[in-house]
Amino acid sequence: MINRITQKEIAKHMNVSISTVSKALKDSYEISKDLRHKIQAYAKQNKYFPNPIALNLKNKSSQTIALILPEIIHHFFSSVIKGIEEVIHNNGYNLIISLTQDSLEKEIQNVENLAQKNVDGFILCLSKETQWNNSIAHIQEAIDTGHPVVLFDRVTDLVECDKVISNDYESAIQVTNNLLAEGRRKIGLITTQDFISVGTLRTKGYEDALNKLGIEVDRSRILKVSNVDNSNEEIKEFIDKSEVDAIIGVNETFTAQALMHLRKKGKSVPEDISLVTFSDGLLSTFTSPNLTALDQQGMQMGMASATLLIKRLEAKAKKRQAPLFKTEIIETKWIKRDSTKKQF
Amino acid sequence: MINRITQKEIAKHMNVSISTVSKALKDSYEISKDLRHKIQAYAKQNKYFPNPIALNLKNKSSQTIALILPEIIHHFFSSVIKGIEEVIHNNGYNLIISLTQDSLEKEIQNVENLAQKNVDGFILCLSKETQWNNSIAHIQEAIDTGHPVVLFDRVTDLVECDKVISNDYESAIQVTNNLLAEGRRKIGLITTQDFISVGTLRTKGYEDALNKLGIEVDRSRILKVSNVDNSNEEIKEFIDKSEVDAIIGVNETFTAQALMHLRKKGKSVPEDISLVTFSDGLLSTFTSPNLTALDQQGMQMGMASATLLIKRLEAKAKKRQAPLFKTEIIETKWIKRDSTKKQF
DNA sequence: CTGAAAGCGCTTACAG
DNA sequence: CTGAAAGCGCTTACAG
């Protein structure tokens, strides 16, 4: 910044010391009312603002929170960002965003780099590679060096910290039950690889719901997409060869791709096959038929994450006892559209 | 940050002065080779890293760039962010993101706040309100106080600075010509209000292309959506009452909504009506039929913006002459899909 | 009620 | 070749 007035200049102009200015500006009782007001008036008139960098150096706090994400081009992540942004700015913090592109190495770099720059804390969604390798040393180190972390969506048990997740397991049970109630018995699942925490939970919910009704889980009805960039091919093949009367997709793209291939095969949705997707977004309302969805409430997840982090930071700033670590569960919202039968 | 080793501690341990340490770490010829190496070795071993905040205070630079956006939940903006993020991180800068929600007040707050925090420069897409009011004092002030600004997509002539835009006018001419070549004569346009720079340019291109062929512009075939949150209603009404044999939509949502209502009316695309959308994204590939689109190349726009800004910052850092202000034009990419006829 | 001094972590012109 | 001093802008314990 160029041309900003400093305490030094105010001091010079008022013929007092810098310490006096500093105290007057904080309305300290140490300074006579008269002088205090004069200094404040002059400061205001000259648009004085404390230099945040100097405060940062002094306080070792930057009033900045870092958000580290795998990707950004997804409705879910955009919504999360929106929620975080709102809470963070309402509380006077700034938000730094870094992307990992699902690479562990980039995640480590980002965390170390930002910790060095004195961000006050992290909100983080683990990269695929991180979950795959279970390497969380960088997260632990961030915490150990005094940077609180909130994990959301893709989390890990290996780190003790605040977490925000959807009720993925329960939602999967619910979806499966709803499809069973429609009379579906050959329910398929299109999901991600097992190492992704969210996918695993959903798969488990699906399996448990089936088992509970004594229906055997048929592995051939589960597709674990191995290469997300090639999901369309894998899904095509899956649709071609597997016999299903309903499909649960773990995200919109998978589900919409499944829909496309079903239609090409001449199947009608929801007459022949019901379709439900996790993670509601733009897409679901524009396919034909529209997709019944479980909205993950990204914005709420973002807001919850930011709130948890800020509470912890405030406790720290006020030297109050740190709150206990908490895992907040955001309930998914069932959005009934046209890709499932209407009867319930 | 807690527990990081400082030059002071190194100095103490090595029994030298802090200045010596500082110089040795910068490999200054002033320090004897021997001492220099010893200090460097010790620093490395103890994972010394300079405190970025201290450097910031000293240099009045934070190695941080602020990105200010109206919204984030759009494929276009997500792509832009991705491009910016990549360039910025490859150059050792950090990225701060703030959203304006299309409000002028929030835009002003963000710019002032971040300028105060010594961000090195801004990349900014003007909010609707800013364009509507033509209030750019805050942008000018940021520039005047030494924070270079790059405007992208929604820009203004009122500020002299680097800019990155699509060739909106030319693209609109091209789309219109292509539709004319298909034999369409009653081409409709669904766009935004006039004060948005991008929308105006596209409308003008559309009009000029028609005029050039001696076709009169029929105002009833142009919809300027007044309330974006209510676009679906406005578009429904437009589709119901206006006679068109082709529609150009200024973004995916508008175009997909138009498609939905056309289908409900029993029109077939592209047999009865051709559809083209600006701003390619996820949606266009999942509607049926898929939408022919003009991809705005968000990622390229982001990369170009970041590159322009960084060049200017580097010039400043090296006290070289500032480059001339530049307006970079990113060409849209024509993506032929199924919502237009195939014959060309 | 006011101010000098030391400090946050670093740099650099100057002295020796 | 090495270091003391001043400075970036602010805070605060201490002295008067």
Side-chain angles (χ1 to χ4, degrees):
Chain A
M1 188 77 178
I2 284 170
N3 277 341
R4 217 169 59 225
I5 192 174
T6 65
Q7 291 189 2
K8 195 177 176 182
E9 294 167 281
I10 298 182
K12 193 166 166 194
H13 177 264
M14 310 287 285
N15 272 317
V16 294
S17 75
I18 298 179
S19 351
T20 303
V21 172
S22 175
K23 287 171 186 159
L25 290 174
K26 319 199 92 173
D27 218 24
S28 157
Y29 66 95
E30 285 189 77
I31 309 296
S32 69
K33 229 177 190 162
D34 195 43
L35 219 200
R36 225 190 296 167
H37 290 331
K38 263 191 223 153
I39 292 180
Q40 287 169 2
Y42 184 77
K44 188 159 185 188
Q45 185 190 329
N46 289 279
K47 295 194 195 164
Y48 169 81
F49 283 101
N51 180 329
I53 306 296
L55 292 177
N56 187 346
L57 183 58
K58 192 86 190 136
N59 307 333
K60 278 138 197 302
S61 144
S62 56
Q63 289 289 103
T64 298
I65 287 170
L67 170 62
I68 301 188
L69 290 174
E71 249 295 2
I72 197 166
I73 308 190
H74 277 106
H75 190 272
F76 172 65
F77 285 129
S78 313
S79 318
V80 172
I81 296 180
K82 190 172 174 180
I84 292 178
E85 210 269 347
E86 197 175 309
V87 173
I88 287 205
H89 276 134
N90 286 344
N91 285 275
Y93 287 82
N94 280 102
L95 178 63
I96 286 196
I97 298 188
S98 277
L99 306 179
T100 62
Q101 263 126 244
D102 270 319
S103 134
L104 171 58
E105 191 193 331
K106 283 206 83 180
E107 187 174 298
I108 295 179
Q109 271 177 16
N110 280 330
V111 172
E112 289 183 348
N113 169 26
L114 290 167
Q116 252 173 245
K117 296 210 176 166
N118 282 358
V119 299
D120 291 347
F122 290 94
I123 300 178
L124 197 144
C125 174
L126 297 172
S127 83
K128 281 188 195 166
E129 258 193 0
T130 309
Q131 291 209 318
W132 168 248
N133 291 298
N134 274 329
S135 350
I136 46 79
H138 56 297
I139 313 272
Q140 193 57 58
E141 177 163 349
I143 296 175
D144 293 344
T145 50
H147 306 82
V149 171
V150 176
L151 293 177
F152 75 92
D153 195 49
R154 305 205 304 225
V155 303
T156 172
D157 288 337
L158 302 174
V159 181
E160 256 197 281
C161 66
D162 291 316
K163 293 165 199 170
V164 177
I165 52 177
S166 307
N167 57 342
D168 287 296
Y169 174 72
E170 293 76 9
S171 307
I173 291 187
Q174 189 200 345
V175 189
T176 313
N177 282 339
N178 282 356
L179 290 170
L180 289 165
E182 275 192 346
R184 305 303 186 182
R185 282 302 174 270
K186 298 186 281 181
I187 303 175
L189 176 69
I190 303 181
T191 181
T192 51
Q193 297 284 60
D194 271 339
F195 57 84
I196 304 213
S197 56
V198 180
T200 319
L201 284 170
R202 292 180 188 163
T203 306
K204 188 144 186 345
Y206 157 87
E207 292 177 347
D208 288 1
L210 291 180
N211 285 331
K212 196 156 179 194
L213 281 210
I215 301 175
E216 210 182 324
V217 174
D218 180 343
R219 297 270 150 229
S220 79
R221 296 199 182 119
I222 302 181
L223 168 63
K224 298 186 178 169
V225 172
S226 58
N227 175 4
V228 175
D229 296 326
N230 193 34
S231 60
N232 200 34
E233 277 308 301
E234 298 187 29
I235 288 172
K236 180 179 186 319
E237 200 185 324
F238 175 73
I239 296 289
D240 280 346
K241 65 163 213 280
S242 63
E243 287 244 328
V244 295
D245 57 13
I247 294 179
I248 303 171
V250 91
N251 65 43
E252 280 193 304
T253 311
F254 290 179
T255 317
Q257 286 171 339
L259 174 60
M260 265 177 41
H261 293 119
L262 285 170
R263 292 180 47 146
K264 276 188 197 151
K265 271 183 72 179
K267 301 278 186 191
S268 20
V269 174
E271 290 73 14
D272 303 334
I273 296 192
S274 293
L275 238 48
V276 182
T277 185
F278 272 88
S279 201
D280 186 53
L282 245 194
L283 221 50
S284 302
T285 56
F286 283 106
T287 51
S288 34
N290 301 162
L291 299 175
T292 293
L294 277 169
D295 183 6
Q296 266 198 88
Q297 310 270 62
M299 198 161 149
Q300 271 76 351
M301 288 186 80
M303 294 177 76
S305 305
T307 306
L308 279 175
L309 184 54
I310 287 174
K311 272 197 191 142
R312 186 165 298 278
L313 292 174
E314 305 281 287
K316 197 170 149 192
K318 291 185 186 142
K319 307 210 163 141
R320 282 201 309 254
Q321 195 174 2
L324 291 175
F325 290 124
K326 206 166 148 182
T327 294
E328 213 156 289
I329 292 171
I330 308 293
E331 308 248 325
T332 54
K333 206 169 107 201
W334 176 259
I335 302 177
K336 176 75 182 70
R337 295 207 186 86
D338 304 326
S339 65
T340 48
K341 292 196 195 160
K342 307 243 177 202
Q343 64 240 38
F344 67 118
Chain B
M1 186 80 179
I2 285 169
N3 277 342
R4 218 169 58 224
I5 192 174
T6 65
Q7 291 187 0
K8 195 176 178 181
E9 293 166 280
I10 299 182
K12 193 168 170 193
H13 177 265
M14 310 288 283
N15 271 316
V16 293
S17 77
I18 299 178
S19 351
T20 303
V21 172
S22 174
K23 287 171 185 160
L25 290 174
K26 317 199 93 174
D27 217 24
S28 157
Y29 66 95
E30 284 188 78
I31 310 295
S32 69
K33 231 178 190 160
D34 196 42
L35 218 200
R36 225 191 294 167
H37 289 332
K38 265 192 224 152
I39 291 179
Q40 286 169 3
Y42 183 78
K44 191 162 184 186
Q45 187 191 327
N46 289 279
K47 294 194 194 162
Y48 169 80
F49 281 100
N51 180 328
I53 306 297
L55 292 177
N56 187 345
L57 183 59
K58 192 83 191 141
N59 307 332
K60 281 141 197 295
S61 145
S62 56
Q63 289 289 102
T64 298
I65 287 169
L67 171 61
I68 301 187
L69 290 174
E71 250 295 1
I72 198 166
I73 307 190
H74 277 107
H75 189 271
F76 172 66
F77 284 128
S78 313
S79 316
V80 172
I81 296 180
K82 190 172 176 184
I84 292 179
E85 210 270 346
E86 198 175 309
V87 173
I88 286 205
H89 277 135
N90 286 343
N91 285 275
Y93 287 82
N94 281 99
L95 178 62
I96 286 196
I97 300 189
S98 279
L99 306 180
T100 62
Q101 264 125 243
D102 270 318
S103 132
L104 171 58
E105 191 193 332
K106 282 206 83 180
E107 186 175 299
I108 294 178
Q109 269 176 15
N110 280 330
V111 171
E112 287 182 350
N113 170 25
L114 291 166
Q116 251 173 245
K117 296 210 175 162
N118 282 358
V119 299
D120 292 347
F122 290 93
I123 300 179
L124 197 144
C125 174
L126 297 173
S127 83
K128 280 186 196 166
E129 256 192 0
T130 311
Q131 291 211 318
W132 168 248
N133 290 298
N134 275 329
S135 351
I136 46 78
H138 55 299
I139 314 270
Q140 193 58 55
E141 176 163 350
I143 296 175
D144 293 345
T145 51
H147 307 81
V149 170
V150 176
L151 294 177
F152 76 92
D153 195 49
R154 305 205 304 224
V155 302
T156 171
D157 288 337
L158 302 175
V159 181
E160 254 198 284
C161 65
D162 291 316
K163 291 164 199 172
V164 177
I165 51 176
S166 308
N167 57 341
D168 288 296
Y169 175 72
E170 293 77 7
S171 307
I173 291 187
Q174 189 200 343
V175 190
T176 313
N177 282 337
N178 283 355
L179 290 170
L180 289 166
E182 275 193 344
R184 306 303 187 182
R185 283 299 175 272
K186 298 187 281 181
I187 304 175
L189 176 68
I190 302 181
T191 181
T192 50
Q193 297 284 61
D194 271 340
F195 57 84
I196 303 208
S197 56
V198 180
T200 319
L201 284 170
R202 292 181 187 161
T203 306
K204 187 146 186 343
Y206 157 87
E207 293 176 345
D208 287 0
L210 292 180
N211 286 331
K212 196 157 176 193
L213 282 209
I215 301 174
E216 211 182 324
V217 174
D218 180 343
R219 297 268 149 232
S220 78
R221 298 202 179 116
I222 302 182
L223 169 62
K224 299 186 177 171
V225 172
S226 57
N227 174 6
V228 175
D229 297 325
N230 192 35
S231 60
N232 200 33
E233 276 310 300
E234 298 187 28
I235 288 172
K236 179 177 187 319
E237 199 184 324
F238 176 73
I239 297 289
D240 280 347
K241 66 164 213 280
S242 63
E243 287 245 328
V244 295
D245 56 13
I247 294 179
I248 303 171
V250 91
N251 66 43
E252 279 193 304
T253 310
F254 289 0
T255 318
Q257 286 171 338
L259 174 60
M260 266 177 40
H261 293 118
L262 285 170
R263 290 180 50 146
K264 276 189 198 151
K265 271 184 70 178
K267 301 279 184 188
S268 19
V269 174
E271 290 74 13
D272 302 334
I273 296 194
S274 294
L275 238 48
V276 182
T277 185
F278 271 88
S279 200
D280 186 53
L282 246 194
L283 221 51
S284 302
T285 56
F286 284 106
T287 51
S288 34
N290 302 161
L291 299 176
T292 293
L294 276 170
D295 183 5
Q296 265 199 90
Q297 311 270 59
M299 199 162 148
Q300 271 75 351
M301 286 186 80
M303 295 177 76
S305 305
T307 306
L308 278 175
L309 183 55
I310 288 175
K311 273 196 191 143
R312 187 166 298 278
L313 292 174
E314 305 282 287
K316 196 170 151 193
K318 291 184 187 144
K319 306 206 163 146
R320 282 201 308 255
Q321 196 174 3
L324 291 175
F325 290 124
K326 209 167 145 180
T327 294
E328 215 157 288
I329 293 171
I330 308 294
E331 307 248 324
T332 54
K333 208 169 104 199
W334 177 258
I335 302 178
K336 177 72 183 70
R337 294 206 186 87
D338 305 327
S339 65
T340 46
K341 291 196 195 160
K342 307 243 178 201
Q343 63 241 38
F344 66 117

